[in-house]
Amino acid sequence: MNAFATLTHAAPTSAEDRAALLAEPGFGKVFTDHMVTIRYTEGKGWHDATLGPRGPIALDPAAAVLHYAQEIFEGLKAYRLPDGGIGSFRPEANARRFNQSAARLAMPAVPEELFVEAVRQIVNADADWTPAADKGSLYLRPFMFADEPFLGVRPAKSYIFCVIASPVGGYFKGGKEAVTLWVSHDYVRAVPGGTGAAKCGGNYAASLLPQAHGIEEGCDQVLFLDAVERRYIEELGGMNIMFVMNDQTIVTPPLDGSILPGITRDSLIKLATEAGYTVTEGRYSFEEWEADTRSGKLKEAFACGTAAVITPIGEVRSKKGNFVIGNGAGGDVARMLKEKLVGIQYGRVEDTHGWVNRLV
């Protein structure tokens, strides 16, 4: 396809207003000036790649996404590097996962080089929105949806791919040292053969009600069990989970089709292995978790994902009882892995894996 067309922004945010917004950006509340839009039409492929002002998207009321939920998205970050440049962490992996999600929802693949170039375009245009390394990062949200106007159950014939950006600070309010989880015994997130391994909006919509129940119980996040036996731990509403044992082993639920294959998860498995830990991808039940916590076999547990990076789990609550992990404030392994991972992302630690892609 041809190069990106660039539309001039008539009224970009002033430097003064941008600085005020960057002082306390929160998470997902502040957005940059630009967006990338690329269109797909069956028989024509991807076309009309545009970098332009961020703004509303016009949709026909019969657009397929509104009725049949053909929609996927990704989440990755851009980081301010020590020399003032900007890099992103494993964007090619996000592109591959995006296309895996697209295949599951019968949507067209976006060429990996086009995906990464779209990310580069918006980061270059909104480079001044990227916070300093000690203040946060620039969260990038590529997404695609079906916009063909029709009422009929079949894959759509036209789609829109977009990338928007948001400067962010910490994911959890107040920068909590460790979070409290609510284990849902009544609801499941995904089923074998379903869309659990795809990053689509429906998976997250399914988590909202149990997440609300968790908040009512004073918890920060909800954790889901498997859909068949309702025993085995799968993942949080938006993060993977890992368990650190007292014998230098780390356990994490397997990617069996109902769990999102997290890029942070994959990176941590590699870093933990290099640090001398044996990482096992295996089924781990709620009953085992509670018993291992009480016996001392389990030292710590933490959630991981792009948004929150690594978040220690301090307490677990459910209608079957509550228990505290360790001292309730996280552990040394989570801190060590987070320091290593974040150090690579911000260019403070040598990137021996070639994970950082310089964008600016």
Side-chain angles (χ1 to χ4, degrees), residues 150-294:
F150 80 101
L151 298 179
V153 183
R154 62 161 173 78
K157 297 182 179 180
S158 64
Y159 299 84
I160 297 177
F161 170 78
C162 295
V163 186
I164 57 176
S166 172
V168 297
Y171 183 72
F172 290 104
K173 295 179 180 179
K176 297 188 70 168
E177 186 174 3
V179 296
T180 300
L181 297 188
W182 174 254
V183 179
S184 178
H185 292 279
D186 299 317
Y187 298 96
V188 298
R189 174 186 170 274
V191 300
T195 59
K199 200 168 177 65
C200 60
N203 293 341
Y204 294 79
S207 75
L208 297 179
L209 179 60
Q211 172 71 16
H213 290 170
I215 291 174
E216 291 173 358
E217 298 291 338
C219 299
D220 304 290
Q221 268 282 337
V222 63
L223 181 140
F224 292 101
L225 304 176
D226 75 285
V228 178
E229 298 184 56
R230 305 287 183 97
R231 290 186 59 215
Y232 295 99
I233 295 161
E234 294 217 322
E235 65 177 328
L236 280 67
M239 290 175 279
N240 297 124
I241 188 169
M242 293 186 171
F243 306 93
V244 183
M245 304 301 176
N246 61 5
D247 60 355
Q248 291 288 102
T249 63
I250 296 175
V251 178
T252 190
L255 301 179
D256 58 3
S258 59
I259 294 177
L260 186 72
I263 294 165
T264 301
R265 174 190 182 276
D266 179 70
S267 304
L268 290 175
I269 289 174
K270 292 180 172 65
L271 294 179
T273 301
E274 291 172 357
Y277 291 86
T278 300
V279 181
T280 301
E281 298 182 67
R283 302 180 85 187
Y284 190 59
S285 71
F286 175 74
E287 293 79 11
E288 289 176 297
W289 187 11
E290 182 173 11
D292 289 345
T293 298
R294 298 192 189 283

